[in-house]
Amino acid sequence: MRFLILLGLAVSTVYTARAQFPAEQLRPYDYKIEKNITVPHGAVVSAHPLASRAGAQILQQGGNAIDAAIATQLALAVVYPGAGNLGGGGFMVAHLSNGKQLALDYRETAPARASRDMYLDSAGNPITTLSLDGHLAAGVPGTVAGIFAAMKYAKLPFATLIDPAILLAEKGFPITASEAANLNASKADFQRLNTAPTAFVKDQPWKEGDTLVQPDLAHTLKLIRKKGAAGFYEGETAANIVAEMKRGHGIMTLADLKNYKVRERKALSFNYKGYTIVTMPLPSSGGICLQQMMGMIENYPVAQWGFHSPRAVQLMVEVERRAYADRAQFLGDPDFVKVPVAQLTSKKYLTSRMADFVPGKAGNSETTKAGVLPESEETTHLSIIDDKGNAVAVTTTLNGHYGSRTIVGKAGFLLNNEMDDFSVKPGVPNMYGLVGTEANAIAPGKRMLSSMTPTIVLQQQQPLYALGTPGGSTIITSVFQMLMNTLEFGLSPADAINKPKFHHQWLPDEVAVEKDFPEEVITALQQMGYAIKKRGPIGRSEMIKRNPGNHVLDAAADKRGDDSAAGY
Ligand code: GLY
């Protein structure tokens, strides 16, 4: 059988209306990465070609974008175990053809036995490994509940949507070179943090093309197919999770699982120069920060200054600094803390925030503790637009790559380490160097503050873009740049996601830039007084544009990973 993986290869394919793959065949052993496609009907972009294809097939079978998002997410839980998940959480933002907007919040929650200082030692110092590694790092998973909340808007039977994932888990699929490298790099952690044998560990190192078969995960998926959300939150799977917790000294209980609730939030929607930006409200900080950054920048002629011009980059850095300072101070789960959202996003406030902006001169963050920005590919995003007028953006996460690295014995899925997204102690940076205050302190049942920013752009109430990215604290600034790159600088989706990115998050007070960021812009920023830090790839973005004239879709997958587009 042919097994073809073209890693890092930008491939542009123009499809005719004829289907690329027969709907009934997933062909796990015959896939390739497609970086940029142009299709007339429906498109899916996600972190793995098989997941994108699973979603595209659902569109071809008559499913809508929500059906495809469900199938893609379930497939990602199998083929992209580092971030696709059953044991994590996420957000879905959608614009439906009837004009309804969805913001499904299936973020993990702190278990009932969690407490504010649970990751501090007796002297009050953080033991950071506890919120990152193993059983105690896991929040109560929300993904499966989120999928069933989305089913209300789907067309096809659930079995049709989950069957591709079951096939991939049961029969296996050949892994990519990057998956092999990641599994090898995490082998010691898997061995240290698990109490039962797992499909991810074998004697010999993994290599590209090896088949990954996940029978325990296939069994769990079948329980979900048969019993719905109860196949995860109750019965055998819930018992497996709690048994795993007991073996590994975790605190999640049967009651935590049974009590998990999805929240249907009101999507955060705001106007930017005639475009409607639809994105995720709290407990994601993403939407509010995006609205703040776009509000602060709106009055400046950035398009005239040009893409990656030092003036434009400096202004974007300064609005990022201010939004992240507010994030640290004010934002947390709105079900637990009062957040002054209207004030933070008011035009008057945003204008006043820029009063001390000096063009050509670096601003200054009040330094408390400088955090370290790690280079990790946590979290994953998928974008879908169908031919019925629906657009969906989903960002879902285990937090770190492979989450807590703990796999539920007999159930075969990884648990998140989302508890680290809480502020374990005010002012102490988390794994992304983000600091927080009481607003994001741990409390039983509370949702930890997120940066995930699944976003849809409407023009005259019709979907124009669906976009988003993983990347921890860099998610918000990446989405901000993708929007500026397209709406202001006129870049194509492929350029908007692939051109080198930069990031400022207030603390540490430095501009992080990708290694291929233009040297002349770096020099100009240094001359203005900015500290520059070169770092690895920022995000893995997925963006689809629906051409307003002929409705043709331009679907672009990030060059930075195995990300791939599919459509018809
Ligand atoms: N775990 C990454 C985020 O939710 O922001």
Side-chain angles (χ1 to χ4, degrees):
M1 275 201 234
R2 189 164 66 98
F3 169 50
L4 181 61
I5 298 178
L6 302 175
L7 278 183
L9 243 182
V11 184
S12 188
T13 312
V14 178
Y15 289 90
T16 61
R18 197 168 62 83
Q20 183 197 7
F21 298 106
E24 65 280 5
Q25 279 182 30
L26 194 56
R27 306 207 318 248
Y29 286 83
D30 182 14
Y31 68 86
K32 65 175 180 169
I33 291 170
E34 298 277 7
K35 287 300 181 192
N36 194 190
I37 62 168
T38 309
V39 290
H41 297 294
V44 181
V45 202
S46 80
H48 196 283
L50 285 170
S52 298
R53 195 194 291 172
Q57 281 186 187
I58 291 296
L59 293 177
Q60 283 175 252
Q61 284 173 253
N64 63 24
I66 301 280
D67 290 291
I70 292 168
T72 307
Q73 273 188 96
L74 288 164
L76 280 172
V78 181
V79 296
Y80 187 49
N85 65 80
L86 297 184
F91 302 132
M92 173 185 284
V93 169
H95 173 86
L96 304 183
S97 55
N98 61 7
K100 186 175 166 64
Q101 286 165 2
L102 302 183
L104 295 185
D105 165 4
Y106 43 100
R107 184 70 163 161
E108 301 92 326
T109 55
R113 284 169 56 205
S115 58
R116 187 181 179 282
D117 296 338
M118 64 187 278
Y119 300 119
L120 304 185
D121 64 16
S122 53
N125 298 315
I127 316 167
T128 43
T129 49
L130 287 186
S131 63
L132 287 170
D133 297 346
H135 302 67
L136 208 54
V140 183
T143 293
V144 174
I147 281 170
F148 282 96
M151 275 305 290
K152 208 159 71 179
Y153 307 96
K155 276 175 71 186
L156 299 183
F158 183 67
T160 308
L161 308 182
I162 198 170
D163 276 350
I166 293 174
L167 173 87
L168 291 163
E170 195 163 43
K171 304 280 181 228
F173 65 98
I175 61 172
T176 62
S178 57
E179 190 65 60
N182 287 331
L183 287 171
N184 291 335
S186 298
K187 181 173 179 176
D189 281 345
F190 287 140
Q191 286 171 324
R192 183 169 60 89
L193 299 169
N194 282 286
T195 61
T198 138
F200 301 132
V201 173
K202 64 186 182 74
D203 290 342
Q204 297 304 313
W206 291 95
K207 52 185 189 334
E208 179 182 5
D210 281 353
T211 300
L212 177 61
V213 184
Q214 301 172 76
D216 289 344
L217 180 58
H219 178 66
T220 301
L221 289 165
K222 283 180 187 170
L223 287 172
I224 297 169
R225 180 175 63 183
K226 189 163 167 206
K227 300 186 172 179
F232 184 88
Y233 291 98
E234 298 173 41
E236 188 179 330
T237 308
N240 282 335
I241 295 173
V242 172
E244 184 61 59
M245 287 290 143
K246 289 208 172 111
R247 290 194 296 272
H249 310 293
I251 55 174
M252 209 183 299
T253 62
L254 286 176
D256 285 326
L257 291 161
K258 190 141 192 224
N259 292 338
Y260 182 84
K261 294 262 175 324
V262 174
R263 298 257 184 267
E264 280 210 34
R265 310 265 179 201
K266 185 173 182 314
L268 194 163
S269 169
F270 63 94
N271 178 67
Y272 181 79
K273 299 187 180 178
Y275 299 101
T276 307
I277 314 294
V278 184
T279 186
M280 193 65 204
L282 291 169
S284 175
S285 59
I288 290 178
C289 288
L290 195 61
Q291 185 174 5
Q292 286 194 309
M293 294 189 292
M294 296 188 81
M296 283 187 258
I297 216 162
E298 196 167 14
N299 294 333
Y300 295 86
V302 280
Q304 198 180 311
W305 295 348
F307 172 68
H308 276 178
S309 64
R311 289 175 89 174
V313 173
Q314 189 219 354
L315 177 65
M316 290 168 74
V317 163
E318 289 300 330
V319 305
E320 290 174 4
R321 180 202 303 279
R322 286 159 178 77
Y324 276 75
D326 284 354
R327 180 193 194 279
Q329 185 62 36
F330 298 112
L331 305 191
D333 182 346
D335 297 338
F336 281 73
V337 290
K338 207 166 160 33
V339 180
V341 176
Q343 186 187 335
L344 288 169
T345 53
S346 79
K347 204 67 206 157
K348 190 163 164 230
Y349 173 75
L350 295 176
T351 307
S352 74
R353 286 293 270 150
M354 293 304 281
D356 60 351
F357 166 63
V358 183
K361 186 165 181 294
N364 188 12
S365 298
E366 289 175 17
T367 306
T368 46
K369 264 179 195 274
V372 184
L373 206 60
E375 299 174 7
S376 150
E377 290 189 344
E378 72 301 309
T379 309
T380 189
H381 179 83
L382 60 104
S383 296
I384 302 178
I385 299 184
D386 66 21
D387 60 357
K388 300 166 182 70
N390 303 296
V392 178
V394 175
T395 314
T396 177
T397 184
L398 288 168
N399 197 23
H401 206 68
Y402 303 117
S404 63
R405 277 91 78 229
T406 294
I407 296 115
V408 175
K410 297 189 189 156
F413 59 86
L414 280 148
L415 287 168
N416 66 84
N417 59 354
E418 220 72 59
M419 292 295 283
D420 194 64
D421 269 350
F422 279 118
S423 175
V424 299
K425 186 178 177 183
V428 171
N430 72 358
M431 74 182 282
Y432 306 113
L434 290 169
V435 290
T437 58
E438 216 46 58
N440 191 30
I442 303 171
K446 188 174 175 183
R447 284 157 150 87
M448 53 297 280
L449 188 63
S450 172
S451 300
M452 294 188 290
T453 317
T455 298
I456 286 161
V457 179
L458 305 178
Q459 193 178 34
Q460 289 163 351
Q461 294 315 307
Q462 292 299 313
L464 181 65
Y465 293 102
L467 66 148
T469 185
S473 60
T474 67
I475 292 174
I476 312 169
T477 54
S478 289
V479 170
F480 173 50
Q481 283 168 79
M482 285 188 267
L483 290 175
M484 298 307 288
N485 290 351
T486 48
L487 304 182
E488 289 283 3
F489 301 123
L491 268 53
S492 67
D495 280 347
I497 65 177
N498 289 326
K499 292 279 183 192
K501 295 205 191 88
F502 57 91
H503 170 75
H504 194 294
Q505 59 177 46
W506 181 54
L507 295 178
D509 189 355
E510 64 190 14
V511 186
V513 297
E514 291 189 295
K515 294 205 170 74
D516 53 349
F517 199 74
E519 284 301 328
E520 64 280 11
V521 186
I522 291 176
T523 306
L525 289 172
Q526 283 169 330
Q527 282 165 354
M528 293 177 202
Y530 289 97
I532 305 289
K533 183 187 168 196
K534 287 199 178 180
R535 55 156 286 171
I538 296 180
R540 286 176 57 174
S541 312
E542 325 291 4
M543 190 173 205
I544 305 177
K545 179 177 186 182
R546 181 172 180 258
N547 188 309
N550 57 11
H551 298 176
V552 164
L553 302 169
D554 179 353
D558 202 308
K559 68 174 184 185
R560 296 170 182 82
D562 297 339
D563 308 52
S564 189
Y568 74 106

